[in-house]
Amino acid sequence: MKKLFFMAMAAVAITFASCDTTPKAPAEPEPETPEIELVSTDSIAAIIETQDSTLLNTLLTEAQTKIEELKTIDPAKAKEYLAKLQALLKDNADKIKAFAGTGAVASVIDAVNNLPEIEVPDVVDAAGEAVDAAKEAVSEKAEDVKDAAVEAVDNAKEAVSEKAEEVKDAAKEKAADAVDAAADKVKGALGK
């Protein structure tokens, strides 16, 4: 009976220890990525066909600015856009020189073509680091739960032991009272 009681208390202690009652912080909303509207390469190609050097200069300057903005938000997209823009300018270099000459437009084209390579972070490395961090967090949480379970079991054992001592003491007291009562009855029966 005593063994069964200890087992039940241990099971209850483990159950309570495995419950995570810490309040969870509300999930933070993901930061909204601002949408950067890029200058369409089709628009630039159309301006090259119309041979408007002023508008081409304006669009290329705007495209260069947008690439700089996009590099910090989405480097992969910035790299892709820059490659498309550079390919368009390279494919149409003769047409552009024919109507724009070597002035401001040529300077902007050179600036776009000479933009430094855009570094795209290695997603695989970042994912690996995230997995490692998650493993570590899970390991720490498991250790915390184990420690809490051990502590709960120890507390349950102590409480059961105290209760058993109380029951034992009460039984001894009742037995002593019963012996005294029986002795009093025997004395009364003997007439003393």
Coordinates of all heavy atoms in Angstrom, one line a residue, residues 114-165:
N114 N 29.5 49.7 -63.2 CA 30.6 49.6 -62.3 C 30.1 49.4 -60.8 O 31.0 49.5 -59.9 CB 31.6 50.7 -62.4 CG 32.3 50.7 -63.7 OD1 32.6 49.7 -64.3 ND2 32.5 51.9 -64.3
L115 N 28.9 49.3 -60.6 CA 28.4 49.0 -59.2 C 29.1 47.7 -58.7 O 29.2 46.8 -59.4 CB 26.9 48.8 -59.2 CG 26.0 50.1 -59.2 CD1 24.6 49.8 -59.4 CD2 26.3 51.0 -58.0
P116 N 29.5 47.7 -57.4 CA 30.2 46.5 -56.9 C 29.2 45.3 -56.8 O 28.0 45.5 -56.8 CB 30.6 47.0 -55.5 CG 29.8 48.1 -55.2 CD 29.4 48.8 -56.4
E117 N 29.8 44.2 -56.9 CA 29.1 42.9 -56.8 C 28.3 42.9 -55.5 O 28.8 43.3 -54.5 CB 30.0 41.7 -56.8 CG 29.4 40.4 -56.6 CD 29.2 39.6 -57.8 OE1 29.7 40.0 -58.9 OE2 28.5 38.6 -57.7
I118 N 27.0 42.5 -55.6 CA 26.2 42.5 -54.4 C 26.3 41.1 -53.7 O 26.1 40.1 -54.4 CB 24.7 42.8 -54.8 CG1 24.6 44.2 -55.4 CG2 23.8 42.6 -53.6 CD1 23.3 44.5 -56.0
E119 N 26.7 41.2 -52.5 CA 26.9 39.9 -51.7 C 25.5 39.5 -51.2 O 24.8 40.2 -50.5 CB 27.8 40.2 -50.5 CG 29.2 40.5 -50.9 CD 29.9 39.3 -51.6 OE1 29.7 38.2 -51.2 OE2 30.7 39.6 -52.6
V120 N 25.2 38.2 -51.5 CA 24.0 37.6 -51.0 C 24.4 36.7 -49.9 O 25.2 35.8 -50.0 CB 23.3 36.8 -52.1 CG1 22.0 36.2 -51.6 CG2 23.0 37.7 -53.3
P121 N 23.8 36.9 -48.7 CA 24.2 36.0 -47.5 C 23.9 34.6 -47.8 O 22.9 34.2 -48.5 CB 23.3 36.5 -46.4 CG 22.3 37.5 -47.0 CD 22.7 37.8 -48.3
D122 N 24.7 33.7 -47.3 CA 24.5 32.3 -47.5 C 23.4 31.8 -46.6 O 23.5 31.7 -45.4 CB 25.8 31.5 -47.1 CG 25.8 30.1 -47.5 OD1 24.7 29.6 -47.9 OD2 26.8 29.4 -47.4
V123 N 22.3 31.5 -47.3 CA 21.1 31.0 -46.5 C 21.3 29.7 -45.8 O 20.8 29.5 -44.7 CB 19.9 30.9 -47.5 CG1 18.6 30.4 -46.8 CG2 19.6 32.3 -48.2
V124 N 22.1 28.8 -46.4 CA 22.3 27.5 -45.8 C 23.1 27.7 -44.5 O 22.7 27.1 -43.5 CB 23.1 26.6 -46.8 CG1 23.5 25.3 -46.1 CG2 22.3 26.3 -48.0
D125 N 24.1 28.6 -44.4 CA 24.8 28.8 -43.2 C 23.9 29.4 -42.2 O 23.9 29.0 -41.0 CB 26.0 29.7 -43.4 CG 27.2 29.0 -44.1 OD1 27.1 27.8 -44.2 OD2 28.1 29.7 -44.6
A126 N 23.1 30.4 -42.6 CA 22.1 31.0 -41.6 C 21.1 30.0 -41.1 O 20.8 30.0 -39.9 CB 21.4 32.2 -42.3
A127 N 20.7 29.1 -41.9 CA 19.7 28.1 -41.5 C 20.4 27.1 -40.5 O 19.8 26.7 -39.5 CB 19.1 27.3 -42.7
G128 N 21.7 26.8 -40.8 CA 22.4 25.9 -39.9 C 22.6 26.5 -38.6 O 22.5 25.8 -37.5
E129 N 22.9 27.8 -38.5 CA 23.1 28.5 -37.3 C 21.8 28.5 -36.5 O 21.8 28.3 -35.3 CB 23.6 29.9 -37.5 CG 25.0 29.9 -38.0 CD 25.5 31.3 -38.4 OE1 24.8 32.3 -38.1 OE2 26.6 31.4 -39.0
A130 N 20.7 28.7 -37.2 CA 19.4 28.7 -36.5 C 19.0 27.3 -36.0 O 18.5 27.2 -34.8 CB 18.3 29.1 -37.5
V131 N 19.3 26.3 -36.7 CA 19.1 24.9 -36.2 C 19.9 24.6 -34.9 O 19.4 24.1 -34.0 CB 19.4 23.9 -37.3 CG1 19.4 22.5 -36.7 CG2 18.3 24.0 -38.4
D132 N 21.2 25.0 -35.0 CA 22.1 24.8 -33.8 C 21.5 25.6 -32.6 O 21.5 25.0 -31.5 CB 23.5 25.3 -34.1 CG 24.2 24.4 -35.1 OD1 23.7 23.2 -35.3 OD2 25.2 24.8 -35.7
A133 N 21.1 26.8 -32.8 CA 20.5 27.6 -31.7 C 19.3 26.9 -31.2 O 19.1 26.9 -29.9 CB 20.2 29.0 -32.2
A134 N 18.5 26.4 -32.0 CA 17.2 25.7 -31.6 C 17.5 24.5 -30.8 O 16.9 24.2 -29.8 CB 16.3 25.4 -32.8
K135 N 18.6 23.7 -31.3 CA 19.0 22.5 -30.5 C 19.4 22.8 -29.1 O 19.1 22.2 -28.2 CB 20.1 21.8 -31.3 CG 19.7 21.0 -32.5 CD 20.9 20.3 -33.1 CE 20.6 19.6 -34.4 NZ 21.8 19.1 -35.0
E136 N 20.2 23.9 -29.0 CA 20.7 24.3 -27.7 C 19.6 24.7 -26.8 O 19.6 24.4 -25.6 CB 21.7 25.5 -27.9 CG 22.4 25.8 -26.6 CD 23.5 26.9 -26.8 OE1 24.2 26.9 -27.9 OE2 23.6 27.8 -25.9
A137 N 18.6 25.5 -27.4 CA 17.5 25.9 -26.6 C 16.7 24.7 -26.1 O 16.2 24.7 -24.9 CB 16.6 26.9 -27.4
V138 N 16.5 23.7 -26.9 CA 15.7 22.6 -26.6 C 16.4 21.8 -25.5 O 15.8 21.3 -24.5 CB 15.4 21.7 -27.8 CG1 14.9 20.3 -27.4 CG2 14.4 22.3 -28.7
S139 N 17.7 21.6 -25.7 CA 18.5 20.9 -24.7 C 18.5 21.6 -23.3 O 18.3 20.9 -22.3 CB 20.0 20.9 -25.2 OG 20.8 20.2 -24.2
E140 N 18.6 22.9 -23.3 CA 18.5 23.7 -22.0 C 17.1 23.5 -21.4 O 17.0 23.3 -20.2 CB 18.8 25.1 -22.3 CG 20.2 25.4 -22.6 CD 20.5 26.9 -22.9 OE1 19.5 27.7 -22.9 OE2 21.6 27.2 -23.3
K141 N 16.1 23.5 -22.2 CA 14.7 23.4 -21.7 C 14.5 22.0 -21.1 O 13.9 21.8 -20.1 CB 13.7 23.7 -22.8 CG 12.3 23.7 -22.3 CD 12.0 24.9 -21.4 CE 10.6 25.0 -21.0 NZ 10.3 26.0 -20.1
A142 N 15.0 21.0 -21.8 CA 14.9 19.6 -21.3 C 15.6 19.4 -20.0 O 15.1 18.7 -19.1 CB 15.5 18.6 -22.4
E143 N 16.8 20.0 -19.9 CA 17.5 20.0 -18.6 C 16.7 20.7 -17.5 O 16.6 20.1 -16.4 CB 18.9 20.7 -18.8 CG 19.8 20.4 -17.6 CD 20.2 18.9 -17.5 OE1 20.3 18.2 -18.5 OE2 20.4 18.5 -16.3
D144 N 16.1 21.8 -17.8 CA 15.3 22.5 -16.8 C 14.1 21.6 -16.4 O 13.8 21.5 -15.2 CB 14.7 23.8 -17.4 CG 15.8 24.9 -17.6 OD1 16.9 24.7 -17.0 OD2 15.6 25.9 -18.3
V145 N 13.4 21.0 -17.3 CA 12.3 20.1 -17.0 C 12.7 18.9 -16.2 O 12.1 18.6 -15.2 CB 11.6 19.6 -18.3 CG1 10.6 18.5 -18.0 CG2 10.9 20.8 -19.0
K146 N 13.9 18.3 -16.5 CA 14.4 17.2 -15.7 C 14.7 17.6 -14.3 O 14.3 16.9 -13.4 CB 15.7 16.7 -16.4 CG 16.3 15.5 -15.7 CD 17.6 15.1 -16.4 CE 18.6 14.7 -15.3 NZ 19.9 14.7 -15.8
D147 N 15.3 18.8 -14.1 CA 15.6 19.3 -12.8 C 14.4 19.5 -12.0 O 14.3 19.2 -10.8 CB 16.5 20.6 -12.9 CG 17.9 20.3 -13.4 OD1 18.3 19.1 -13.4 OD2 18.5 21.3 -13.8
A148 N 13.4 20.1 -12.7 CA 12.1 20.4 -12.0 C 11.4 19.1 -11.6 O 10.8 19.0 -10.5 CB 11.2 21.2 -12.9
A149 N 11.5 18.1 -12.4 CA 10.9 16.8 -12.1 C 11.5 16.1 -10.9 O 10.9 15.6 -10.0 CB 10.9 15.8 -13.3
V150 N 12.9 16.2 -10.9 CA 13.6 15.6 -9.8 C 13.3 16.3 -8.5 O 13.0 15.7 -7.5 CB 15.1 15.6 -10.1 CG1 15.9 15.3 -8.8 CG2 15.5 14.7 -11.2
E151 N 13.2 17.6 -8.6 CA 12.9 18.4 -7.4 C 11.4 18.1 -6.9 O 11.2 17.9 -5.7 CB 13.0 19.9 -7.7 CG 12.8 20.8 -6.5 CD 12.9 22.2 -6.8 OE1 13.7 22.6 -7.7 OE2 12.3 23.0 -6.1
A152 N 10.5 17.9 -7.9 CA 9.1 17.6 -7.5 C 9.0 16.2 -6.9 O 8.3 16.1 -5.9 CB 8.2 17.7 -8.7
V153 N 9.8 15.3 -7.4 CA 9.8 13.9 -6.8 C 10.3 14.0 -5.4 O 9.8 13.4 -4.5 CB 10.5 12.9 -7.7 CG1 10.8 11.6 -7.0 CG2 9.8 12.7 -9.0
D154 N 11.4 14.7 -5.2 CA 12.0 14.8 -3.9 C 11.1 15.4 -2.9 O 10.9 15.0 -1.8 CB 13.3 15.6 -4.0 CG 14.5 14.9 -4.6 OD1 14.4 13.6 -4.8 OD2 15.5 15.5 -5.0
N155 N 10.4 16.5 -3.4 CA 9.4 17.1 -2.5 C 8.2 16.2 -2.2 O 7.8 16.2 -1.0 CB 8.8 18.4 -3.2 CG 9.9 19.5 -3.2 OD1 10.9 19.5 -2.5 ND2 9.6 20.5 -4.1
A156 N 7.8 15.4 -3.2 CA 6.7 14.5 -2.9 C 7.2 13.4 -1.9 O 6.4 13.0 -1.0 CB 6.3 13.8 -4.2
K157 N 8.4 12.9 -2.1 CA 8.9 11.9 -1.1 C 8.9 12.4 0.3 O 8.5 11.8 1.2 CB 10.3 11.5 -1.5 CG 10.4 10.5 -2.7 CD 11.9 10.2 -3.0 CE 12.1 9.3 -4.2 NZ 13.5 9.1 -4.4
E158 N 9.4 13.7 0.4 CA 9.5 14.3 1.7 C 8.1 14.5 2.3 O 7.9 14.2 3.5 CB 10.2 15.7 1.6 CG 10.5 16.3 2.9 CD 11.2 17.6 2.8 OE1 12.2 17.7 1.9 OE2 10.9 18.6 3.5
A159 N 7.2 14.9 1.5 CA 5.8 15.1 2.0 C 5.2 13.8 2.4 O 4.5 13.7 3.5 CB 4.9 15.8 0.9
V160 N 5.4 12.7 1.6 CA 4.9 11.4 2.0 C 5.5 10.9 3.2 O 4.8 10.3 4.1 CB 5.1 10.4 0.8 CG1 4.8 9.0 1.2 CG2 4.2 10.8 -0.4
S161 N 6.8 11.1 3.4 CA 7.5 10.6 4.5 C 7.0 11.3 5.8 O 6.8 10.7 6.8 CB 9.0 10.9 4.4 OG 9.7 10.5 5.5
E162 N 6.8 12.6 5.7 CA 6.3 13.4 6.8 C 4.9 12.9 7.2 O 4.5 12.7 8.4 CB 6.2 14.9 6.5 CG 7.6 15.6 6.5 CD 7.5 17.0 6.0 OE1 6.4 17.5 5.8 OE2 8.6 17.6 5.9
K163 N 4.0 12.6 6.2 CA 2.7 12.2 6.4 C 2.7 10.8 7.0 O 1.9 10.5 8.0 CB 1.9 12.2 5.1 CG 0.4 12.0 5.3 CD -0.2 13.1 6.0 CE -1.7 13.0 6.1 NZ -2.3 14.1 6.9
A164 N 3.6 9.9 6.6 CA 3.7 8.6 7.1 C 4.1 8.6 8.6 O 3.6 7.9 9.4 CB 4.8 7.8 6.3
E165 N 5.1 9.5 8.9 CA 5.5 9.7 10.3 C 4.3 10.2 11.2 O 4.1 9.7 12.3 CB 6.6 10.7 10.5 CG 8.0 10.2 10.1 CD 8.4 9.0 11.0 OE1 8.2 9.1 12.2 OE2 8.9 8.0 10.4

